[in-house]
Amino acid sequence: MTREPAQRSSFLAVLDGQVMTPPPLWMMRQAGRYLPEYRALRAKAGDFLTLCYTPEFATEVTLQPIRRFDFDAAIIFSDILVVPHALGVGLRFEAGEGPRLDPVTDAAAIAALPETLDPARTGPVYEAIARTRAALRSETALIGFCGAPWTVATYMVAGCGTDDQAPARMLALREPAVFQALIDRLVEASIAHLLGQIEAGADAVQIFDTWAGVLDRQSFERWCLDPLARIAAGIWAKKPEARIIAFPKGASAHALSRIAAIGVNAIGLDWTADRSVLRKLGEKTALQGNLDPLRLIAGGAQLDEEILRIRTDLDGVRHIFNLGHGIRPETPIAHVERLVERVRAPL
Ligand code: CP3
């Protein structure tokens, strides 16, 4: 049997500095409930964390959207809350209610968090990455990830998701030194977890800062920008070639330019980001995004038009096509197929 020569990944080419036309494509939350094959395996596993911590299952779920849509990158199936779980924080996912954690709200609880991550929790993630990398073709990149310290802290302090992240924001305002200790622990844990994923075979890592947009400018600098810069420095100290994507959802144009100055390989844009203003950032870093996930559900002419606008606005700069946030469970598969076709069509 003759083998195809190894192909270069267009996704990695953009992260490494090239402009690609058409842009490489993947979708946040691309493995998930909108896929019937995901729902079937999820039912077999019984619960979400079993799916995450069983390498065979996590590998299979990671590969499902690649088989269906041939995206240019796979993202390892896991969750940002694996990090607090690996720091000994109780975690469960209750049907229809989202995550529940044992809240970490005072200096004693933060001081009691261990220095290192529990390998019983992180090991299955690294094994799933090694298995997935071995199963993927060379041109399909594999992304590892973690939550940014700020976003992970919002769940740890509240013990669940909240509308306005008020519990973490109040702790940060009332007891900044206590909150700083939590962020510092999460910076170290994030560096270790991302390095573990890179060593296991992840070609790039993405840091999800879902709640970056709720902080004022001072707080953004302290709780989002500084921890991100420290994580990047910690990774590059050990792996100078490591590729890092930052996704500070809801961040202002000013905040995005501060993040670009760290030297990350790409910045994820949510759908509210103004591409005409941000285009010049594309000289410093690749831009990833930014279709509104609701447009993908609604479909029709408005979807085609926005895909074309995104491609045109970012034509000639380093661009990775993605959604502006995760795909929702109610998204019709036919609309994802249409997206793939329109993103890969000649401009
Ligand atoms: O992108 C991918 O396909 C990789 C897997 C992935 C998941 N979660 C799987 C998941 C990734 C990258 C995440 C990130 C994540 N997890 C974030 C940051 C990005 C974002 O979407 O804002 C956050 C805040 C979490 C925490 C989390 N996990 C919440 C709040 C929930 C419940 C809400 C929901 O969508 O159900 C989860 C559960 C979760 N994580 C599911 C999946 C596929 C659904 C679980 C199920 O099958 O019932």
Side-chain angles (χ1 to χ4, degrees):
M1 201 179 91
T2 52
R3 282 187 133 238
E4 295 281 319
Q7 295 279 313
R8 176 103 176 92
S9 153
S10 65
F11 168 83
L12 297 182
V14 172
L15 291 181
D16 291 344
Q18 271 178 258
V19 176
M20 299 296 287
T21 312
L25 165 68
W26 69 283
M27 294 191 316
M28 289 187 275
R29 292 277 183 102
Q30 64 190 16
R33 286 165 293 183
Y34 73 107
L35 290 176
E37 59 269 35
Y38 171 83
R39 295 195 298 267
L41 196 62
R42 169 87 160 67
K44 187 176 156 194
D47 75 356
F48 173 68
L49 283 178
T50 305
L51 208 52
C52 286
Y53 290 132
T54 310
E56 295 86 335
F57 289 162
T59 301
E60 172 57 22
V61 172
T62 304
L63 295 172
Q64 284 171 348
I66 306 303
R67 285 193 202 110
R68 224 184 231 274
F69 308 113
D70 191 27
F71 290 128
D72 296 292
I75 180 162
I76 195 64
F77 187 80
S78 184
D79 198 85
I80 66 165
L81 300 177
V82 162
V83 164
H85 204 205
L87 290 174
V89 175
L91 170 68
R92 62 218 168 269
F93 281 84
E94 275 154 26
E97 282 188 44
R100 290 288 178 275
L101 301 89
D102 297 339
V104 175
T105 54
D106 56 30
I110 292 165
L113 293 170
E115 297 280 340
T116 56
L117 295 165
D118 180 354
R121 304 270 188 241
T122 57
V125 179
Y126 307 151
E127 192 184 329
I129 286 176
R131 284 171 182 248
T132 306
R133 186 56 272 174
L136 287 169
R137 294 179 304 151
S138 59
E139 61 264 46
T140 312
L142 180 58
I143 304 168
F145 71 89
C146 71
W150 162 247
T151 286
V152 173
T154 66
Y155 290 94
M156 291 175 77
V157 173
C160 60
T162 54
D163 290 339
D164 55 4
Q165 296 71 52
R169 288 162 60 201
M170 285 308 300
L171 183 62
L173 293 170
R174 287 191 168 134
E175 296 185 79
V178 169
F179 194 68
Q180 185 74 59
L182 175 57
I183 292 290
D184 290 349
R185 191 56 57 91
L186 289 171
V187 165
E188 293 310 318
S190 302
I191 293 169
H193 193 43
L194 293 177
L195 284 172
Q197 293 179 70
I198 293 165
E199 272 151 24
D203 301 297
V205 291
Q206 176 157 319
I207 302 170
F208 286 86
D209 212 350
T210 306
W211 303 120
V214 303
L215 295 173
D216 62 33
R217 192 151 154 180
Q218 297 302 316
S219 299
F220 171 83
E221 300 268 330
R222 182 161 183 188
W223 307 125
C224 295
L225 185 67
D226 176 71
L228 179 65
R230 284 160 61 203
I231 292 171
I235 291 174
W236 288 328
K238 293 258 170 60
K239 302 264 175 199
E241 306 296 314
R243 302 174 183 98
I244 302 175
I245 306 169
F247 176 51
K249 185 170 178 289
S252 66
H254 168 79
L256 294 170
S257 72
R258 300 277 287 141
I259 287 174
I262 293 172
V264 293
N265 303 70
I267 294 184
L269 305 179
D270 69 60
W271 64 91
T272 67
D274 184 337
R275 294 181 295 272
S276 59
V277 173
L278 292 166
R279 215 189 120 89
K280 65 177 187 311
L281 264 192
E283 291 158 17
K284 287 198 203 123
T285 184
L287 300 175
Q288 178 173 279
N290 70 339
L291 182 75
D292 182 346
L294 295 192
R295 285 191 181 268
L296 191 58
I297 299 172
Q302 62 77 31
L303 174 61
D304 288 2
E305 285 158 15
E306 180 69 0
I307 292 169
L308 188 60
R309 266 195 302 273
I310 293 172
R311 288 191 59 192
T312 310
D313 288 350
L314 297 177
D315 189 38
V317 300
R318 296 155 62 198
H319 177 215
I320 296 160
F321 203 103
N322 204 312
L323 304 179
H325 197 198
I327 185 170
R328 300 219 190 178
E330 64 270 37
T331 309
I333 286 174
H335 295 185
V336 181
E337 289 166 348
R338 178 75 183 172
L339 169 84
V340 172
E341 187 196 314
R342 297 320 299 159
V343 172
R344 292 186 175 153
L347 251 194

